[in-house]
Amino acid sequence: MICSVRFLSFRPPYFFTTYAVRSISIFRGSILRTPLTCDNLNSNVKKVEYAVRGPIPTRALQIESELISHPESFQFDKLIYVNIGDPQNLGQCPLTFPRQLLALCAYPALISKNSTLFPSDVLQRARNILDSTGSFGGYSHSLGFSFVRKSIANFILKRDHIRSDSTIILSDGASKIINVLLSCLSSNTASLPTGVMIPIPQYPLYTASLSYLGLFPIPYYLHEDSCWGFSIDDLSTTLKNHTDLSLPTAFVVINPGNPTGQCLDASQQLKILRFCYDNNLLLLADEVYQDNIYDKDVKWTSFRKVLLDNKTYQLGKILHLTSTVHATNLVDTLVCPTSLMAERFSYFPGLT
C-alpha cells in the first residue's frame, strides 16, 4: 500500500517535496496490521514514569476544566501548580538580561535603534556575541561556540583555582546532556543490563531516563537523620546486592542535592571518589545547583577540585588513564553563571 507524504525543506531554497512511501498500515496476508499500538510499543517507553508529569498534574488539568464548567463543585476557584520547579509560575519575575540579550542578537538593528532602551552591559555582550558568531541562529560547532567554551573554562579556573584543560561540551540544558551520557553507557553486548547507582530521593529525570534507555537503576538511599548523608557500608552492600542483576557501571551524585538540598563536604566527596575508584564506576556529578546554597556556613566544592587537590593520593591514578571514556573518569554536569546566558555544560577530564 503506497501513500504520498510531503516534506517542507527548512533550508534554502524553501520548497515542498513529495515522496512516495509505504503506508503506515501493512498487509500481512489478508490481515491489516498496525505497526504501532500500545501492545507493540517499545517496552522501555511503557516503563517510564515521570512524577512531575504524572497522575497528579493530569488530575489538576481535569479539575481546572471542571472549575470552568462547574465552578460550584469546588470550594476554591484557582489551582497553583507546584509539581515542577517553575518559580515564574509562582510569580517570580523573569530575568531581564537573557531576554534582552536574545532580542538584540535575534534582531541586531535594535542595538543602534534603541541604544537607550537597553543597559550598556547587555549591548556590549550582544556586540561581542555577534562579532564572535558572525550569524546568530546559524549552525555552530558540534561542541558549541568556542568563545562560550572559553568563557566556561575561565569560570572553572576562577571557581576551582585550577586551569581547565578538559573538553567542554555545550548542551541545551542539563537534562539533555544527562540523557546523552546515560545512552553512552547502554551496552547491547553484555549479558546483563548496565547498572547505574542513583540517590533516593532524587529528581525523577534519572529513573525515567534509565527506564527509557533500558538501563538498570541501583538505588542507594540517603539518610534524613544525618542531613541526607550516606554510608559507604550501605553503598557497598547495595552494590553487592545488585551485581547478579546488572553490570554496575556508573554512580550518580547530585550535589547540592535535589530535592534534599544537602551539600557534601570534601571528606564525603573523597569517600565517593574512593568508592568509585575501588569499584571501577564512572562518576556522574550533577552540580547544577551549586549557586543555590543559602546557609552562609556551608561551603560548596566541585568534585573536580576535590579530585585534583588530592591527586597525591592513589586517586590520582584516575587522571592518568587513557583518553577514552574509562569507568573511573569523572564527568561533571553543572551551570556556569558567568558564561553566555547561564549555559549548562559538561566537561570530561581525561578526554581528548
Side-chain angles (χ1 to χ4, degrees):
M1 185 175 183
I2 303 297
C3 66
S4 179
V5 178
R6 306 185 76 195
F7 298 94
L8 173 63
S9 170
F10 288 95
R11 297 182 184 178
Y14 302 97
F15 58 88
F16 281 99
T17 304
T18 302
Y19 297 95
V21 297
R22 294 186 182 277
S23 168
I24 60 170
S25 295
I26 303 172
F27 281 106
R28 175 174 290 177
S30 60
I31 302 175
L32 184 66
R33 181 176 68 87
T34 303
L36 184 60
T37 66
C38 289
D39 293 330
N40 60 22
L41 184 67
N42 186 331
S43 59
N44 290 338
V45 175
K46 291 190 282 188
K47 293 176 184 176
V48 172
E49 294 183 2
Y50 203 52
V52 295
R53 296 183 178 90
I56 294 178
T58 299
R59 175 57 182 148
L61 288 173
Q62 296 173 347
I63 293 176
E64 207 165 44
S65 177
E66 293 170 12
L67 279 172
I68 297 175
S69 58
H70 303 288
E72 71 283 353
S73 301
F74 301 93
Q75 297 181 355
F76 52 88
D77 56 11
K78 180 182 179 181
L79 286 180
I80 298 176
Y81 287 81
V82 294
N83 60 299
I84 196 168
D86 184 3
Q88 291 185 31
N89 193 39
L90 298 178
Q92 176 177 302
C93 294
L95 297 175
T96 56
F97 183 89
R99 295 187 175 214
Q100 292 171 338
L101 188 59
L102 281 172
L104 292 173
C105 290
Y107 187 38
L110 290 174
I111 296 177
S112 57
K113 289 183 178 180
N114 295 275
S115 57
T116 59
L117 178 63
F118 296 92
S120 58
D121 59 334
V122 178
L123 289 166
Q124 187 57 50
R125 180 68 66 87
R127 293 189 187 99
N128 293 342
I129 291 174
L130 292 170
D131 289 343
S132 300
T133 60
S135 175
F136 186 79
Y139 291 115
S140 67
H141 190 283
S142 58
L143 298 181
F145 287 118
S146 61
F147 75 96
V148 180
R149 288 186 280 126
K150 288 178 181 178
S151 175
I152 292 170
N154 290 333
F155 163 77
I156 295 173
L157 175 61
K158 292 178 182 178
R159 187 196 66 183
D160 296 342
H161 305 292
I162 302 172
R163 186 171 299 280
S164 174
D165 57 356
S166 310
T167 298
I168 295 172
I169 302 175
L170 302 183
S171 73
D172 54 341
S175 299
K176 178 66 173 291
I177 197 66
I178 287 169
N179 278 305
V180 170
L181 291 171
L182 291 176
S183 65
C184 292
L185 299 176
S186 181
S187 173
N188 295 325
T189 58
S191 57
L192 293 174
T194 300
V196 180
M197 297 189 70
I198 56 173
I200 301 296
Q202 49 87 38
Y203 183 62
L205 165 69
Y206 288 97
T207 47
S209 296
L210 293 179
S211 296
Y212 180 72
L213 295 169
L215 304 178
F216 190 89
I218 304 176
Y220 66 91
Y221 291 87
L222 304 177
H223 305 300
E224 184 177 6
D225 55 358
S226 60
C227 205
W228 297 108
F230 63 90
S231 161
I232 289 295
D233 290 338
D234 288 349
L235 294 181
S236 299
T237 300
T238 298
L239 183 64
K240 182 179 179 180
N241 290 341
H242 289 83
T243 52
D244 292 336
L245 303 173
S246 67
L247 182 63
T249 303
F251 184 98
V252 173
V253 58
I254 307 176
N255 184 47
N258 178 17
T260 50
Q262 86 281 10
C263 190
L264 300 176
D265 59 36
S267 64
Q268 294 171 314
Q269 291 173 284
L270 268 176
K271 290 179 181 179
I272 290 178
L273 288 168
R274 176 87 258 176
F275 177 80
C276 291
Y277 180 80
D278 290 342
N279 294 283
N280 204 33
L281 298 173
L282 172 70
L283 176 59
L284 303 178
D286 184 336
E287 301 179 334
V288 301
Y289 300 103
Q290 60 188 267
D291 284 336
N292 297 91
I293 300 172
Y294 307 103
D295 187 338
K296 59 181 174 51
D297 296 324
V298 172
K299 180 183 178 182
W300 179 89
T301 307
S302 72
F303 268 89
R304 174 183 182 272
K305 180 172 176 56
V306 173
L307 179 62
L308 295 177
D309 283 347
N310 292 273
K311 62 183 179 181
T312 55
Y313 293 91
Q314 188 178 8
L315 289 169
K317 291 181 180 179
I318 297 174
L319 301 177
H320 303 295
L321 298 171
T322 61
S323 61
T324 56
V325 180
H326 192 281
T328 45
N329 274 334
L330 168 68
V331 177
D332 207 345
T333 305
L334 50 97
V335 173
C336 179
T338 58
S339 64
L340 178 59
M341 285 175 292
E343 292 277 359
R344 295 188 178 196
F345 67 94
S346 292
Y347 59 90
F348 299 77
L351 305 188
T352 55

